[in-house]
Amino acid sequence: MVRFILPVMVITVLLFAGSEAKSKKHQLIENDYYNSLKVKYAKERYKAVMVDDGVPAPKLQKDIVDFAIGFLGINYIFGGETSRGMDCSAFVQKVYAMAGIQLPRTARYQAEYGLYVSRENLQPGDLLFFQTYAKFPSHVGIYIGEGKMIHASSGSKRIIISDIDKDFYLRHFLFAKRLFLYDPQVLKELKSSDQVDG
């Protein structure tokens, strides 16, 4: 119980500071290194890189799951963005913002970030996208391991943990994405070593 108190306190503070965070949209993505990249593919690769690439990534997975669990039980409100209630994409946006990653507001645009991963290779922190009321990704959840995801459920009217192998989620599943942003300092060091080696 004690391990959940701190995340809940942090969440409360961040929820009410949400308006300030919006002004810093994509601050970790669009930095000097990102802007120096000339090829679109290189920019996309920079935005989201697989851990398998051997490049140190932020301590993201554990943070994402810990922060997400702190939201359990908050009411679901379509279009909501506060501790009084929020929808699936607002929940994901706030959790990732707490880990230092600024994502767009809607599931449709969140789905444009990251690299595709298969269901067999899911890791905690991966985003799961579903097609529910629209042709585009209209629901998103965060994988937490052991076949479970945490999400703001319109059916349950709150943020809950669900089994991703339930029939409904299997039928509506579109794809999963993984976001790992490079640390800018690590990128500078890698760029320097590439120039030396090349």
Side-chain angles (χ1 to χ4, degrees), residues 49-106:
V49 179
M50 300 287 279
V51 157
D52 300 358
D53 289 346
V55 179
K59 183 176 61 74
L60 187 65
Q61 289 167 287
K62 185 177 185 309
D63 288 347
I64 290 292
V65 173
D66 287 348
F67 292 142
I69 287 173
F71 283 82
L72 273 174
I74 288 179
N75 290 333
Y76 173 92
I77 297 177
F78 184 77
E81 300 180 336
T82 71
S83 58
R84 293 184 178 188
M86 60 184 70
D87 60 23
C88 64
S89 54
F91 163 61
V92 166
Q93 184 186 48
K94 289 194 183 297
V95 169
Y96 266 78
M98 291 174 74
I101 298 174
Q102 305 302 317
L103 287 175
R105 171 64 181 84
T106 65

Side-chain angles (χ1 to χ4, degrees), residues 13-26:
V13 171
L14 288 176
L15 285 174
F16 291 105
S19 57
E20 292 179 20
K22 287 179 185 177
S23 64
K24 299 177 181 177
K25 189 176 181 184
H26 309 310

Side-chain angles (χ1 to χ4, degrees), residues 152-172:
S153 167
S154 59
S156 297
K157 302 295 184 194
R158 59 193 169 87
I159 294 175
I160 61 170
I161 292 174
S162 297
D163 186 337
I164 65 169
D165 290 323
K166 281 190 174 178
D167 184 58
F168 177 84
Y169 300 117
L170 286 173
R171 282 188 288 111
H172 294 276

Side-chain angles (χ1 to χ4, degrees), residues 5-50:
I5 293 174
L6 183 58
V8 170
M9 290 172 60
V10 172
I11 287 167
T12 304
V13 171
L14 288 176
L15 285 174
F16 291 105
S19 57
E20 292 179 20
K22 287 179 185 177
S23 64
K24 299 177 181 177
K25 189 176 181 184
H26 309 310
Q27 61 184 356
L28 294 186
I29 294 172
E30 297 179 7
N31 54 37
D32 290 340
Y33 182 85
Y34 174 88
N35 291 328
S36 75
L37 298 172
K38 305 299 180 200
V39 181
K40 184 178 178 184
Y41 171 78
K43 288 188 173 186
E44 288 304 312
R45 184 172 170 77
Y46 168 74
K47 285 182 183 177
V49 179
M50 300 287 279

